[in-house]
Amino acid sequence: MNPLSTTKLNRLLDKQFLRQLLDHTHWIPSPVSIEIYDSNDTLFFTYGEATACGPVCQSPIVIDNQTIGIIRIQSIQPSNSPAKFWGLLLSSLAQAQWERRCITQDSLTRYRELALLYQLGDKLDSCLDPAELAEIVLSEVHRFIRAQAGSLLLVCPYTEKLSVVASYDSGETGCQLTPAASRLAHLVFATGKPEVIDDARLDPRLAAASRGWEPLLCVPLKIDNRILGVLNLGYKAGEFCFSTADMKLAEVIAAQAAKAFETARLFKEMENMAYAIILAAGATIDERDACTAGHSTRVAAISLAIATKLNQMREASPAIKKELPFIKLQEIKYAALLHDIGKIGVPEAVLTKRTRLSQDRMLAIRTRFDFITATTGQSLDEEFSLIAALNEVHSLSPADSQSVRNLACRKYTDLTGELQPFLLPEEAEALCVPRGNLIEQEFRQIQSHAEKSYKILKQIPFPAHLHRIPYIAYQHHERLNGSGYPNGLLTEEILLEAKIISVADVFEALTASDRPYRTPVGTEKALEILFAEAQAGHLDRLVVDTLATLVTSNPQWWNTLITPLPGTKPKTGAKLPFEEEQV
């Protein structure tokens, strides 16, 4: 609808100005009556004497070839000249005012559009998810251009084909994009040129796909002469067709959108590369020891499952929400993958130690015992068998420990005539370790990996939303009662993410099927041990409860992840069904 048809004369002509103008016009015949009516014949202005008599002459008030009013002059003089003069004068005054109004309105419209475009730019700049970006673009296009149907299509970098990322339509009005719109989208994608179609039925390229009258607007998303996709619109609200101005505005929006999508793509590529490097770093540490290959990946999967469940519980319960901080899943995932990276600084002989004494050391003892037998005639086969057996066990009884000490006290004479112990002090120390196979010095070297992890990760410039990764890795061996290492932190000082990784780390170690120095336990026994550790103040009870819920709710998946079938490789890449959500 033309705005002039709804514009009143009182918005274009000032009554006081007209009265002053007529008062200073001396050649108007007297008596005279002047009346001005608007386009719907409503009286707008009167001047002169209502009793004036004589013929009535009138002239239209015209703007842009459209009559918006009429001036009628009644006087004793029958001439049409005054009426025509005043008609032209009022038309000129109204035209000037109309143009000023149009310029002002256009300026305000452009200002509003510019302000909205700045707001759109801020929205797009703050988003890095392609699907969310597409929704923002279509929402703003609907607001700017008032298209009743729209879709945003992006090209797949692998197939180089267009696919719809987001779309909308006004179902109540039946305005939906048809196959003709899809055809136009592919044409614009091929040519890289925007198009406005007044009626798809009349375009020979689209007629076969058209299902009726359909005005269309389609612009490409271009950056650096590359076409990333197209913005496809149909049916402008309240009007028959899209205008050239609509197309220009759509091009500006498309240009902003293209930059945002390209930024999101580059960010995703960098994120994928960073994740690949993190995954490789964790795998590199695990691969230093063939028996723990896949450990970091499995701990990350377990930690991510627990964190996701805790976030769901947090959102479902206002009480828990007050007590439980929100866990950034990407942060805990990366921290779990990197929690053992400090082991790169632990000597390999210590890291891969499987027995209390190495094969070389056992050979030295065998040679020494053979020498004693040859020089004294006493057989030490029974003693060596005891040492060989104790070298393989995980836990040492007090009686076995005493047997080792007794053997270490026995002496023999070497070739120089000097008395020497049957077992060297360092050999006796290794064999007498109550639990495990590491002496105190070696255990401290293993413990140092937490601090080494922190120092390595602290040098990485993680983005702001991942800045706690070094601290999470630093704390994964801390215990709630202060008995952990390296800093003996108490529960309130330990990050929730570190508490989660602690539980996942212990559970994975207990259930893993690829540890040669002990037999893995089942999930029920592992959970029983975890509950006991929580009861003793070592592990967080809520985290253990959450893990127990996850294990019992899907035992088949859990068994596949943690305990692969005999003769198969551990599933180092196993994922939870919800692992990729909200990461």
Side-chain angles (χ1 to χ4, degrees):
M1 183 179 293
N2 192 315
L4 275 173
S5 61
T6 59
T7 300
K8 302 296 183 180
L9 280 177
N10 60 3
R11 298 181 181 179
L12 300 176
L13 297 175
D14 182 85
K15 292 182 180 180
Q16 183 177 357
F17 174 76
L18 288 178
R19 192 169 304 280
Q20 291 176 351
L21 185 65
L22 289 169
D23 285 341
H24 289 81
T25 303
H26 302 293
W27 49 268
I28 293 179
S30 182
V32 65
S33 173
I34 299 176
E35 296 176 340
I36 300 176
Y37 295 83
D38 61 19
S39 56
N40 58 4
D41 209 30
T42 300
L43 182 63
F44 161 67
F45 177 79
T46 61
Y47 181 84
E49 302 177 16
T51 57
C53 58
V56 176
C57 299
Q58 66 181 29
S59 181
I61 303 172
V62 180
I63 298 178
D64 293 340
N65 298 319
Q66 182 174 337
T67 300
I68 65 166
I70 295 175
I71 181 170
R72 294 173 180 168
I73 300 179
Q74 184 176 21
S75 67
I76 57 174
Q77 297 182 2
S79 173
N80 282 333
S81 296
K84 290 181 178 180
F85 171 80
W86 282 102
L88 291 173
L89 179 60
L90 295 180
S91 296
S92 177
L93 292 173
Q95 179 76 40
Q97 182 62 23
W98 172 252
E99 290 176 355
R100 282 194 295 271
R101 282 174 53 85
C102 288
I103 291 172
T104 302
Q105 185 63 37
D106 186 64
S107 298
L108 288 174
T109 300
R110 295 293 171 262
Y111 175 78
R112 281 194 292 267
E113 288 178 352
L114 186 61
L116 291 172
L117 286 173
Y118 274 121
Q119 294 175 14
L120 172 60
D122 290 339
K123 291 179 181 179
L124 296 179
D125 289 343
S126 62
C127 179
L128 292 169
D129 178 61
E132 188 177 344
L133 281 173
E135 294 291 348
I136 292 173
V137 170
L138 289 182
S139 174
E140 295 304 304
V141 163
H142 185 50
R143 187 155 62 110
F144 280 129
I145 303 178
R146 297 181 300 130
Q148 296 301 287
S151 64
L152 197 147
L153 300 86
L154 294 179
V155 61
C156 174
Y158 305 108
T159 64
E160 297 186 352
K161 293 182 179 180
L162 286 176
S163 60
V164 177
V165 180
S167 63
Y168 74 92
D169 63 74
S170 300
E172 68 277 3
T173 60
C175 296
Q176 298 179 349
L177 294 177
T178 66
S182 177
R183 173 64 180 155
L184 179 62
H186 285 82
L187 289 173
V188 170
F189 175 67
T191 63
K193 297 180 180 179
E195 297 225 23
V196 174
I197 306 296
D198 291 342
D199 189 348
R201 296 173 301 179
L202 305 179
D203 192 306
R205 303 168 301 172
L206 311 177
S210 177
R211 296 179 180 175
W213 174 76
E214 185 179 10
L216 298 170
L217 167 60
C218 188
V219 296
L221 275 65
K222 296 168 64 175
I223 186 168
D224 297 333
N225 295 321
R226 289 186 298 113
I227 302 177
L228 307 183
V230 295
L231 177 60
N232 212 10
L233 305 175
Y235 305 102
K236 183 170 182 179
E239 299 184 31
F240 292 109
C241 303
F242 293 101
S243 66
T244 303
D246 293 329
M247 185 179 73
K248 294 296 184 185
L249 186 56
E251 284 186 286
V252 173
I253 295 174
Q256 284 189 302
K259 292 178 181 178
F261 280 114
E262 181 70 359
T263 300
R265 182 189 68 82
L266 293 174
F267 179 82
K268 188 63 177 177
E269 287 184 357
M270 292 178 63
E271 190 176 44
N272 289 341
M273 182 175 66
Y275 177 62
I277 293 173
I278 289 172
L279 201 61
T284 299
I285 299 305
D286 290 349
E287 292 295 339
R288 287 189 69 196
D289 181 357
C291 296
T292 59
H295 166 75
S296 295
T297 306
R298 292 193 293 268
V299 169
I302 299 167
S303 300
L304 194 61
I306 297 171
T308 302
K309 185 66 176 178
L310 287 174
N311 277 351
Q312 292 171 351
M313 293 166 54
R314 179 181 182 274
E315 293 305 314
S317 171
I320 295 179
K321 193 168 187 176
K322 291 181 180 178
E323 302 295 329
L324 201 64
F326 177 77
I327 305 167
K328 291 182 281 190
L329 300 186
Q330 187 182 51
E331 188 172 54
I332 192 172
K333 180 179 181 180
Y334 288 179
L337 286 168
L338 295 171
H339 74 284
D340 277 343
I341 196 171
K343 286 183 178 179
I344 199 171
V346 178
E348 189 166 358
V350 175
L351 191 64
T352 60
K353 189 176 182 183
R354 294 290 167 263
T355 57
R356 296 166 182 265
L357 297 174
S358 67
Q359 290 183 355
D360 290 343
R361 181 61 67 175
M362 289 295 294
L363 181 58
I365 295 174
R366 175 77 268 182
T367 302
R368 187 184 311 141
F369 281 15
D370 288 344
F371 174 80
I372 296 171
T373 300
T375 57
T376 65
Q378 58 179 316
S379 174
L380 295 177
D381 289 343
E382 185 178 343
E383 287 82 350
F384 186 80
S385 295
L386 174 63
I387 291 172
L390 296 182
N391 193 43
E392 301 284 343
V393 300
H394 184 64
S395 299
L396 197 69
S397 68
D400 289 334
S401 179
Q402 187 60 48
S403 297
V404 172
R405 292 191 186 95
N406 292 339
L407 189 59
C409 291
R410 295 169 64 179
K411 306 288 184 178
Y412 73 96
T413 304
D414 65 12
L415 292 175
T416 64
E418 297 287 336
L419 288 177
Q420 301 291 345
F422 277 29
L423 291 177
L424 299 177
E426 60 269 24
E427 295 168 348
E429 181 187 7
L431 288 170
C432 287
V433 172
R435 186 179 182 84
N437 53 39
L438 298 176
I439 63 175
E440 183 64 27
Q441 180 184 2
E442 292 170 335
F443 188 63
R444 285 198 298 269
Q445 287 178 310
I446 289 289
Q447 285 184 320
S448 70
H449 82 275
E451 188 163 0
K452 286 181 169 66
S453 292
Y454 172 74
K455 289 180 178 179
I456 292 171
L457 296 176
K458 192 65 177 172
Q459 298 178 54
I460 300 175
F462 289 105
H465 67 290
L466 302 176
H467 77 281
R468 297 188 307 160
I469 286 177
Y471 303 95
I472 296 171
Y474 196 17
Q475 297 178 0
H476 79 277
H477 277 295
E478 298 288 354
R479 295 297 179 254
L480 306 190
N481 60 1
S483 63
Y485 64 86
N487 296 312
L489 302 180
L490 296 172
T491 179
E492 63 274 6
E493 301 172 294
I494 305 172
L495 295 171
L496 175 59
E497 291 82 357
K499 296 175 183 176
I500 292 171
I501 295 176
S502 296
V503 171
D505 195 30
V506 174
F507 187 74
E508 196 282 332
L510 289 170
T511 56
S513 62
D514 48 9
R515 303 294 193 272
Y517 46 86
R518 58 165 174 73
T519 302
V521 301
T523 53
E524 290 186 9
K525 180 61 176 178
L527 289 174
E528 183 181 326
I529 294 172
L530 289 178
F531 282 124
E533 289 290 297
Q535 183 68 26
H538 296 157
L539 301 177
D540 188 282
R541 181 57 187 262
L542 176 61
V543 176
V544 174
D545 286 340
T546 305
L547 175 60
T549 301
L550 290 168
V551 171
T552 55
S553 66
N554 193 354
Q556 181 59 42
W557 169 84
W558 209 258
N559 290 332
T560 302
L561 173 68
I562 305 301
T563 55
L565 296 174
T568 63
K569 291 187 65 176
K571 295 186 177 297
T572 58
K575 294 180 180 179
L576 289 168
F578 43 80
E579 178 179 354
E580 298 303 328
E581 292 182 10
Q582 302 176 0
V583 175

